Amino acid sequence: MNNNWWKEGVVYQIYPRSYKDTTGNGLGDLEGIIQQLDYIQSLGVTMLWLCPIYESPNDDNGYDISDYRKISDEFGGNKSFDRLLAAMRERGLKLIMDLVVNHSSDEHHWFQQAKKSKDNPYHDYYIWRGNNPNEKPNNWQSVFNGSVWKWNEATQEHFLHLYTQKQPDLNWENPKVRKEVYAIVDFWLAKGVDGLRMDVISLISKRLAFEDVPNEMPFIDVMEKVYANGPRVHEFLKEMNREVLSNYDIVTVGEGPGVNLVHGPRYVSAREKELNMVFHFDHLTIDFGPDGKYDPVPLDFVRFKAIFRQWDEALANDGWNSIFLGNHDFSRIVSRFGNDGVYREQSAKLLVTLLMTLRGTPYVYQGDEIGMTNVAHSSIECYDDVETRNAWKAAEAAGKDMNKFLKAVHWQSRDNARTPMQWNASENAGFTTGKPWIPVNKNYPTINVETAEKEANSILHYYRKMIAFRKANTTLVYGDFVDLLPEHPQLYCYRRWDKEANFLLVHNFSDTPTSWEKPSGNYEFVFGNYSNEKQALLAPWESRIYRSV
Ligand code: NOJ
């Protein structure tokens, strides 16, 4: 297995809309990121992944792109982008851009042309089926609810959209589309961008028969078996790698809904020459119930650990893992996997100890470093996210218990992670002087960067310490991994080792003090999230790092 800069680094993910507004229009912008580069660098992270900042009508907050070569004026345009890239260069920070090419915006000029007539040169850039406005070509459901098919009057056929109606899927079968995509990729890489996070890249190759899915099939299985990992996906990625990616020293991470242990290794095998990493969602869909995301079930902790173990095993000799617990599409990690009440500090620290000590490249999502939490608005009107809103409408139409559904929204809505970054205790958390595009979490007077900076024991300082520790110990990057207590209902205990060192980690994922027998061996306590490691019991949400001497 080769050593690489992107294996040894740590990624910080920014949702630019919610990071820092410098114009007072209530939306974060690139100047805001530039202003905060000292702060970002002080965390010790080495790469920044920016969610999409291209021109977009924002039906899905930038995941619907209308010009792939233009940075949206809302964010400061191409000039601000160049300034940001230069400022990052000076600091040795690497930039990962989002690449959203499973679909474009319907306002992209390709689609504007494509929908005009069947003989338009761009028509075949998208996917068309059927000729009856009253009959959908099949029963596929969009990720954001409703049919995946939308009728187009001018050509008398439906087009495919796996996400919103304003996100038509591109036709990767058409070599011209692939050429366009590679040219876009080349445009950004030639500018000096260091990496790409590829949005829903597991979905680009469609099963062209478009057969109905069985009605009773849970959506999570539809994703895995019908939408994702299509027949030509590996061929397309190899082609992209050959044509453009391999010309640069970059990092690639493919977002992989439906990517499982069978397909995952193929996407990231060094031999296969496709991508460097994928984001699989096995551990983030773990609490989806029979009715999906908004029908949550309790988290099965033993399964949670098994997922990490299995993925580690699968990529131990070839390929590389991404280690993450949340992002802009999921709840706040301290609320979901920790305890955001009395043990917020301890559990947030535990979670970063976990992130920094597993094998793979760790990803930190903005605000997690100060322990930002979920929100619980009393009305759906306070939610902006198209997924949340559509799920709400569908639940209403299905006659569901909407009080119960609101609780599910509190638990699962993507807006939990999209509330503005909490910089200080001033109005709107110091995020904007205007009206924020989405409500600020009310806990900002206590949970914010300025306050955390002043407290020696804050989550923020612990993040810095943990990231530095990771970077100083390549054993934690490349070393072997073994789960020592896979069946334990609340402890996660594992070893990481190589020729250099041997670490023992233990985390108490619970509110109760838990007894633990330290494995034999000469283990010395290094540090943890509680100061007193001598106690026989592990305190609630305690994490300890030992090293053998
Ligand atoms: C995954 C992105 O992370 C999410 O925010 C978006 O809605 C979908 N892909 C569609 O692009």
Side-chain angles (χ1 to χ4, degrees):
M1 164 125 33
N2 293 333
N3 292 16
N4 285 103
W5 56 266
W6 46 266
K7 292 179 180 167
E8 293 170 19
V10 176
V11 181
Y12 185 63
Q13 183 196 348
I14 292 185
Y15 196 66
R17 244 181 144 61
S18 298
Y19 202 59
K20 181 86 177 102
D21 172 23
T22 58
T23 66
N25 69 353
L27 289 174
D29 46 52
L30 298 188
E31 290 300 325
I33 299 175
I34 296 172
Q35 271 184 15
Q36 296 305 328
L37 283 177
D38 281 347
Y39 167 75
I40 292 165
Q41 198 170 23
S42 79
L43 300 173
V45 298
T46 59
M47 299 170 253
L48 296 194
W49 153 28
L50 301 189
C51 282
I53 50 176
Y54 313 95
E55 192 173 272
S56 163
N58 288 313
D59 195 46
D60 186 19
N61 288 354
Y63 282 95
D64 46 322
I65 296 171
S66 51
D67 187 340
Y68 286 97
R69 290 183 176 77
K70 194 171 175 308
I71 301 299
S72 152
D73 288 334
E74 275 180 357
F75 289 123
N78 286 39
K79 278 219 175 80
S80 284
F81 176 81
D82 292 342
R83 274 171 38 75
L84 172 65
L85 191 58
M88 287 180 61
R89 280 271 161 287
E90 269 173 36
R91 292 159 192 268
L93 288 168
K94 307 266 191 190
L95 177 61
I96 301 175
M97 295 280 275
D98 224 303
L99 179 75
V100 189
V101 288
N102 171 68
H103 44 265
S104 72
S105 162
D106 65 341
E107 295 182 35
H108 193 289
H109 81 89
W110 297 337
F111 191 77
Q112 290 296 311
Q113 289 294 321
K115 70 177 190 183
K116 284 187 180 161
S117 68
K118 286 189 177 167
D119 53 15
N120 187 287
Y122 289 97
H123 186 259
D124 198 28
Y125 272 41
Y126 296 88
I127 300 168
W128 308 90
R129 288 290 186 282
N131 56 14
N132 180 347
N134 302 316
E135 195 185 315
K136 303 289 183 194
N138 67 15
N139 67 355
W140 289 15
Q141 291 293 299
S142 143
V143 176
F144 296 153
N145 295 90
S147 169
V148 298
W149 300 103
K150 184 170 182 208
W151 181 250
N152 180 47
E153 233 3 88
T155 57
Q156 293 288 298
E157 57 195 340
H158 303 264
F159 67 85
L160 177 82
H161 62 89
L162 292 180
Y163 291 85
T164 76
Q165 298 187 350
K166 287 184 66 61
Q167 294 170 296
D169 282 53
L170 285 161
N171 177 17
W172 277 69
E173 300 291 323
N174 181 349
K176 285 195 200 138
V177 168
R178 306 205 296 273
K179 259 199 138 150
E180 298 264 18
V181 170
Y182 307 154
I184 292 163
V185 168
D186 194 65
F187 174 84
W188 290 104
L189 297 184
K191 258 185 186 283
V193 164
D194 306 285
L196 298 167
R197 174 270 187 190
M198 301 186 186
D199 190 65
V200 296
I201 205 70
S202 51
L203 309 185
I204 57 178
S205 163
K206 314 296 186 220
R207 291 180 173 82
L208 298 172
F210 290 107
E211 284 165 5
D212 275 354
V213 298
N215 283 329
E216 64 288 352
M217 196 188 244
F219 192 71
I220 197 167
D221 293 344
V222 174
M223 182 54 92
E224 183 176 323
K225 301 194 171 82
V226 184
Y227 297 175
N229 313 311
R232 296 183 73 189
V233 67
H234 296 291
E235 175 196 334
F236 293 156
L237 289 174
K238 282 189 176 64
E239 183 182 78
M240 179 175 350
N241 191 303
R242 209 171 46 239
E243 294 292 318
V244 53
L245 304 176
S246 58
N247 298 331
Y248 298 91
D249 176 22
I250 52 153
V251 58
T252 53
V253 50
E255 194 208 15
V259 168
N260 53 26
L261 280 161
V262 176
H263 283 271
R266 287 191 65 188
Y267 285 99
V268 301
S269 154
R271 283 193 299 267
E272 300 273 338
K273 295 198 172 56
E274 296 181 13
L275 302 171
N276 299 133
M277 293 176 259
V278 285
F279 292 129
H280 73 79
F281 295 110
D282 286 353
H283 58 313
L284 294 187
T285 50
I286 191 169
D287 57 358
F288 289 18
D291 254 354
K293 175 170 180 175
Y294 290 96
D295 178 28
V297 294
L299 194 141
D300 177 345
F301 181 61
V302 169
R303 188 166 153 229
F304 175 83
K305 292 188 290 183
I307 290 166
F308 280 99
R309 187 177 70 245
Q310 289 159 355
W311 276 90
D312 184 82
E313 250 165 48
L315 306 183
N317 300 315
D318 184 21
W320 193 246
N321 258 310
S322 49
I323 304 295
F324 71 111
L325 291 169
N327 61 33
H328 63 292
D329 290 332
F330 294 92
S331 308
R332 282 288 171 184
I333 66 172
V334 71
S335 302
R336 191 169 186 202
F337 298 107
N339 173 337
D340 64 5
V342 272
Y343 296 116
R344 188 182 65 88
E345 293 227 359
Q346 293 83 343
S347 60
K349 290 176 184 173
L350 174 149
L351 293 172
V352 70
T353 314
L354 176 76
L355 285 172
M356 296 302 146
T357 56
L358 290 174
R359 176 158 53 180
T361 299
Y363 291 75
V364 172
Y365 180 64
Q366 71 179 44
D368 285 344
E369 75 273 21
I370 53 168
M372 280 177 64
T373 67
N374 280 355
V375 283
H377 300 303
S378 55
S379 155
I380 190 68
E381 295 312 316
C382 298
Y383 290 86
D384 171 272
D385 174 29
V386 64
E387 183 214 68
T388 309
R389 283 178 165 257
N390 287 1
W392 181 270
K393 277 184 235 148
E396 252 177 355
K400 293 210 168 137
D401 171 350
M402 295 315 284
N403 284 328
K404 190 169 163 224
F405 200 83
L406 187 63
K407 291 215 173 68
V409 167
H410 293 165
W411 182 247
Q412 297 288 50
S413 170
R414 306 197 296 181
D415 281 346
N416 281 312
R418 297 177 180 188
T419 61
M421 180 71 185
Q422 294 165 204
W423 294 105
N424 57 44
S426 71
E427 204 183 348
N428 294 322
F431 162 68
T432 179
T433 53
K435 183 175 181 299
W437 71 277
I438 189 173
V440 174
N441 192 319
K442 289 200 184 68
N443 60 20
Y444 75 85
T446 45
I447 302 177
N448 63 68
V449 172
E450 200 177 286
T451 305
E453 290 286 11
K454 288 188 205 135
E455 287 169 8
N457 284 327
S458 67
I459 298 168
L460 177 60
H461 289 303
Y462 188 86
Y463 259 73
R464 291 185 173 126
K465 187 169 164 183
M466 209 48 244
I467 292 171
F469 189 71
R470 158 91 179 191
K471 290 192 334 197
N473 291 286
T474 49
T475 306
L476 296 174
V477 178
Y478 298 110
D480 281 326
F481 165 90
V482 65
D483 187 342
L484 300 174
L485 296 174
E487 299 303 325
H488 198 290
Q490 56 212 47
L491 294 184
Y492 199 175
C493 176
Y494 48 90
R495 227 159 51 80
R496 298 291 319 277
W497 79 98
D498 63 6
K499 282 188 287 229
E500 301 286 315
N502 178 16
F503 289 102
L504 172 69
L505 280 296
V506 62
H507 313 285
N508 179 8
F509 268 78
S510 82
D511 292 351
T512 36
T514 306
S515 62
W516 173 63
E517 205 176 309
K518 194 161 85 177
S520 58
N522 241 344
Y523 286 110
E524 186 179 80
F525 179 74
V526 187
F527 69 92
N529 60 352
Y530 279 72
S531 48
N532 179 7
E533 95 288 1
K534 294 273 182 277
Q535 294 182 17
L537 294 180
L538 284 162
W541 301 97
E542 180 168 5
S543 267
R544 295 182 191 174
I545 306 175
Y546 294 88
R547 183 186 197 129
S548 74
V549 284

